[in-house]
Amino acid sequence: MTTLACIIRPSTPPSRVIPLARAVEAAGIEEIWLWEDCFQTGGISAASAILAATERVRVGIGVIPTPLRNVALTAMEVATVDGMFPGRLLPGIGHGVQSWMGQVGARAASPLTLMREYATTLRALLAGESVTTSGRYVNLDDVKLDWPPARPVRVPVAATGPKSLRLAGEVGDGVVLEGSVGLVGLPAALELVAEGRAAAGREGDEFSVVQFVTGGTGPGAAERLRAELTEWGQDVSDDEKLAGYAVWGDALALAEGVRRLGAAGADTVAIQPTVDDPDLERLAEVLGEARELLSRD
């Protein structure tokens, strides 16, 4: 069964994060996904708070921008959170929005080189290895975590363009695809990921595909989705085009949208509410109903 997740956007006020997370868990949804946008809520801090306030739900960060943090610090943070909440943190990493990285003085001249060095080193540190490396961006001298995770922590990589999609297949334990990929772009994106996995000889390794998709329920849902996606530059002028990038409607319609994405190759479909969604708790309830329908497949 395709895993159904709910996204709590970083534009959500910090005071609302825990109540929403509890509503998502109460609805029976298995995963919550977050991400870091400058200069809103922090991904690791929000994930830690959610994990402490809930019992079962897994929390994905999709994603932590690699230029913002030294890889050793990221490894320490991830290992610490995993040690407190074993198996419940899904720490994704990405290039970060380049204009924001420039604002904070952390823009990399070669984001692909940084990602290759960072992902390889982070996975080694989380595996408990002692790492010495001298790269263009990542430089460590005999660094080893005192408290590495007791079990493997999988690190997915966010990707959009062809080169980054291939790289995600090479160096990631999965790929996180933003909403601009959508149902229409998912098959082609996964072909590029598969090329990267083949080039690295990793075809047999476990690998997960997380697809973000804008979604909504209740009166005016399609209009809200269309307005936001149009602002992002997507052509969603009619419902057929909108269905290539969004899912909306009642639980039955949402479940069917998730099925379509699952059939196209997504292992996890994370529903992203619009920034103006009027009732996020109600959306969580309907997603829970959709998950119940999916569990019967």
Side-chain angles (χ1 to χ4, degrees), residues 3 38-39 49 67 87 107 109 165-166 203 208 249 251 254 277 283 287:
T3 298
C38 294
F39 300 93
R107 184 167 184 164
L165 286 164
R166 292 189 186 96
E203 297 100 324
S208 58
L254 291 171
D277 191 296
L283 176 60
L287 289 176

Side-chain angles (χ1 to χ4, degrees), residues 46-89:
S48 300
I50 291 170
L51 291 167
T54 56
E55 297 293 333
R56 299 174 304 280
V57 68
R58 297 185 296 272
V59 180
I61 307 177
V63 289
I64 301 166
T66 56
L68 283 178
R69 291 184 184 84
N70 183 285
V71 68
L73 176 60
T74 299
M76 290 164 58
E77 296 278 21
V78 169
T80 299
V81 176
D82 183 76
M84 292 187 287
F85 309 101
R88 294 178 60 199
L89 179 67

Side-chain angles (χ1 to χ4, degrees), residues 72-134:
L73 176 60
T74 299
M76 290 164 58
E77 296 278 21
V78 169
T80 299
V81 176
D82 183 76
M84 292 187 287
F85 309 101
R88 294 178 60 199
L89 179 67
L90 309 168
I93 57 175
H95 299 304
V97 176
Q98 296 306 296
S99 60
W100 288 336
M101 298 303 100
Q103 277 185 272
V104 299
R107 184 167 184 164
S110 176
L112 289 171
T113 300
L114 171 58
M115 179 56 71
R116 182 181 297 279
E117 294 177 3
Y118 201 104
T120 302
T121 302
L122 179 59
R123 292 172 66 226
L125 289 170
L126 293 175
E129 299 177 18
S130 177
V131 180
T132 296
T133 184
S134 179

